[in-house]
Amino acid sequence: MDTEHTEPSGDSASIAAASAVALEALYTQNRAAAARLRACHQLWATCRDAQELRDIAAGYGPGLHQRPEHAVIDPLDIASDQIVAVYGVHRTRARSLLTQAITLVTRFGALVEAMETGRLDEDTAILLARRMRTVDSLHRDDVQRDVLDWLLAAIAAGIRPGREAILSRTDRIIAAHDPAGVRLRRAAAVRERRIRLRRGLDGMADLHAHLTAAEATTIHAILHKAATKQQRHDTQTRLETTRQHGAESLDTEYIRSMDELRADALVAAFLDPTPGPGASRSPLATQIRPTITVLAPLGPDGEPEVYLPRGGPATIDALIELLSRSIGATVTVPDTHPGTADTPHGAPRYRPSAALAHRIRLRDGTCRHPGCSVPAEACDIDHVRPFDHTNPTAGGLTTEGNLMCLCRQHHRFKTFHGWRYHLNPDATLTVTTDTGHTITTNPDGPLARWRHHTTSSPDTDPNIPPPRRPWLNPHPHSTHWHRRAQRLAAERKANATPPPATNPDPDPPPF
């Protein structure tokens, strides 16, 4: 059968030309990514060498006298904070950039070299490096060379292997060189099980579970089965409503999707106060006793806004739902004015009182170091101006104006590195690095937002007393929302069955 060759149409030619431009841009991006990896690795190596010199100068080393005022700082922490200072990304991103660079440059140099030709992209390089991470160092170079030879030759020949095909072929190459490598990787993967919580937008949050494939598949199947059952029930209910009251009585806006139903099934499994069929005990949520601080500025919809430390802003309804699923709560309404937790006898003492520490966490929200977002509940309370243990009145006092939240890593970094810190009266923190960069961070906790809300109104005049607002009750413990929350907490506690005394919850989740 004869075939007739046709010239490409005008559209095809323009698409081909645009594809060639895009291809060259992708090659350029891959080469630039390789250059970034080498530059980040060099930054880390420079910080490592500088820290080693500081350690030696301070007496750290075999047979050397060690000075207690010096501490070894991880060069990765130093390099991460340097990227935050000069580039402006958050610390998690800076650390990820450096970790990837260190791993690829020091262990998988062939992958970086392939990126420098433009033919291998960074995402694929990271995918392959993770797959080969447990290969014995004696075989690693041979394995990555064989993987790259196969992959690049396949692409040049017009073959386009998908992700699973790439991983499958990589496993076969690993097994040929290092049979134990695949087994070790799978064993290591099981040790990486985890649960992560990430704050979202509009009162939402992401709860991410990294489990074994069997566990995750089973849980998803159970949730899907429950969601399917609920969907049939909802459909039947709507049909009955339509027969009784007509189609106009239905509100289609509130018909839940399968995604919503699966999410609701997950929540019900843990938080529903009524045990399911065959359940031998109450859900985990019946053991929650949240501690809730009530600050009541109006939210966007005119309702008071609630702040969950690890979940971010929520609504008053979320608070009420939480209380309905717990066995009591401690509800406090603090005085929001700065310094009200300071005391004359507490100022010259090193450790802040529980009330003052809670207030600092409520103000800051997270670690105050530039780029860091460790929740305040997981942070230390640190003196901005160092506390003088030999003469407390001569050093930084233990007061709200001299305290801030720092995660443990940044607490040590501040104490033993060369950056300078200044806390302003409005709680903004100014940090000057040892390279001369000046950075400012703002408090982001609910107390700081409350203060901003009550002082930044357009009609605020510093010479005129602020107008009375309905939520600024002179007797905060008698507010409507406080009474409502306290009543619900008391009712729940009165109707609940206490958990067994033999297995108390040693570390209830913070709310």
Side-chain angles (χ1 to χ4, degrees):
M1 177 179 178
D2 295 333
T3 59
E4 181 180 354
H5 175 73
T6 59
E7 294 295 328
S9 66
D11 288 344
S12 297
S14 61
I15 291 174
S19 297
V21 173
L23 178 61
E24 183 56 37
L26 290 170
Y27 284 167
T28 301
Q29 180 182 10
N30 295 340
R31 289 189 286 267
R36 170 176 49 77
L37 290 171
R38 293 201 185 277
C40 286
H41 173 267
Q42 182 59 40
L43 171 61
W44 167 78
T46 301
C47 292
R48 178 198 59 196
D49 295 344
Q51 181 62 37
E52 287 180 357
L53 292 176
R54 283 194 293 268
D55 295 341
I56 293 172
Y60 274 65
L64 298 177
H65 177 68
Q66 299 178 0
R67 299 199 328 239
E69 64 271 18
H70 177 82
V72 177
I73 305 296
D74 188 342
L76 180 58
D77 291 335
I78 299 173
S80 297
D81 288 320
Q82 190 64 30
I83 287 181
V84 170
V86 300
Y87 186 37
V89 294
H90 57 79
R91 191 171 187 273
T92 302
R93 174 58 177 158
R95 193 177 182 90
S96 175
L97 288 171
L98 287 163
T99 301
Q100 290 174 6
I102 295 167
T103 299
L104 288 171
V105 172
T106 59
R107 301 182 62 197
F108 300 99
L111 298 181
V112 180
E113 292 171 4
M115 291 174 60
E116 289 172 327
T117 69
R119 300 169 63 198
L120 183 69
D121 66 278
E122 185 176 15
D123 286 346
T124 302
I126 293 172
L127 176 71
L128 293 174
R130 180 165 180 79
R131 203 69 171 182
M132 296 184 287
R133 69 189 186 278
T134 56
V135 174
D136 189 281
S137 59
L138 295 175
H139 305 288
R140 190 183 300 136
D141 288 346
D142 292 336
V143 168
Q144 58 184 309
R145 289 290 181 188
D146 285 356
V147 170
L148 284 171
D149 289 346
W150 164 77
L151 178 59
L152 297 180
I155 293 174
I159 301 172
R160 297 296 181 262
R163 181 180 185 275
E164 293 305 317
I166 292 174
L167 295 179
S168 177
R169 184 60 174 260
T170 301
D171 280 349
R172 291 200 297 272
I173 293 174
I174 293 173
H177 287 274
D178 180 23
V182 175
R183 293 194 299 271
L184 287 174
R185 191 190 66 230
R186 290 173 178 170
V190 175
R191 300 298 302 274
E192 295 173 352
R193 303 186 313 278
R194 60 186 178 272
I195 299 291
R196 296 276 174 81
L197 176 65
R198 176 174 292 180
R199 184 185 305 176
L201 300 174
D202 300 323
M204 304 299 288
D206 294 322
L207 183 64
H208 178 268
H210 186 67
L211 309 171
T212 67
E215 293 167 341
T217 302
T218 301
I219 292 173
H220 185 273
I222 292 172
L223 295 176
H224 185 76
K225 182 178 180 179
T228 302
K229 180 179 179 180
Q230 184 64 49
Q231 186 181 54
R232 288 197 295 266
H233 178 270
D234 291 350
T235 300
Q236 185 63 35
T237 300
R238 287 194 296 272
L239 290 173
E240 292 177 0
T241 301
T242 301
R243 284 196 294 267
Q244 295 178 11
H245 305 287
E248 64 278 0
S249 63
L250 290 178
D251 190 346
T252 57
E253 180 182 353
Y254 293 98
I255 297 177
R256 293 179 289 179
S257 66
M258 282 300 293
D259 282 340
E260 291 176 281
L261 289 167
R262 281 190 291 263
D264 292 344
L266 175 65
V267 172
F270 285 91
L271 301 183
D272 194 336
T274 304
S280 58
R281 60 181 178 84
S282 298
L284 297 176
T286 59
Q287 300 183 30
I288 291 178
R289 295 179 176 84
T291 298
I292 300 165
T293 301
V294 177
L295 297 171
L298 300 187
D301 58 356
E303 287 280 303
E305 187 176 66
V306 179
Y307 184 84
L308 304 179
R310 294 183 183 271
T315 63
I316 192 68
D317 289 335
L319 170 62
I320 293 171
E321 182 71 12
L322 171 65
L323 291 174
S324 71
R325 287 168 163 163
S326 62
I327 57 172
T330 300
V331 182
T332 61
V333 183
D335 190 325
T336 59
H337 292 86
T340 53
D342 298 343
T343 61
H345 68 276
R349 296 183 177 181
Y350 176 66
R351 296 193 180 279
S353 66
L356 180 56
H358 176 64
R359 188 179 193 82
I360 301 302
R361 292 189 169 95
L362 201 63
R363 180 197 70 192
D364 288 351
T366 65
C367 171
R368 294 298 304 279
H369 207 272
C372 190
S373 57
V374 172
E377 292 70 33
C379 289
D380 298 336
I381 304 297
D382 186 33
H383 292 77
V384 180
R385 182 186 175 196
F387 185 85
D388 190 334
H389 291 271
T390 59
N391 184 9
T393 58
L397 297 177
T398 305
T399 60
E400 182 176 342
N402 190 48
L403 296 174
M404 64 178 172
C405 291
L406 287 179
C407 66
R408 181 55 56 87
Q409 283 187 348
H410 283 131
H411 190 166
R412 296 183 74 253
F413 186 92
K414 170 183 172 292
T415 303
F416 298 108
H417 204 58
W419 292 19
R420 299 189 302 275
Y421 302 77
H422 176 73
L423 190 65
N424 299 296
D426 62 353
T428 59
L429 179 69
T430 302
V431 181
T432 304
T433 73
D434 54 356
T435 56
H437 294 85
T438 299
I439 318 163
T440 300
T441 71
N442 298 307
D444 193 40
L447 182 56
R449 292 203 301 275
W450 163 269
R451 290 172 178 170
H452 177 77
H453 177 84
T454 57
T455 59
S456 61
S457 175
D459 61 347
T460 298
D461 186 329
N463 300 315
I464 301 176
R468 183 181 183 275
R469 297 182 174 90
W471 62 88
L472 290 178
N473 194 301
H475 305 289
H477 289 270
S478 64
T479 62
H480 164 68
W481 298 109
H482 181 267
R483 294 196 305 272
R484 183 179 177 188
Q486 290 278 31
R487 183 177 68 254
L488 285 168
E491 290 176 355
R492 179 63 183 161
K493 184 175 182 179
N495 295 330
T497 301
T502 56
N503 186 28
D505 185 356
D507 187 19
F511 289 94

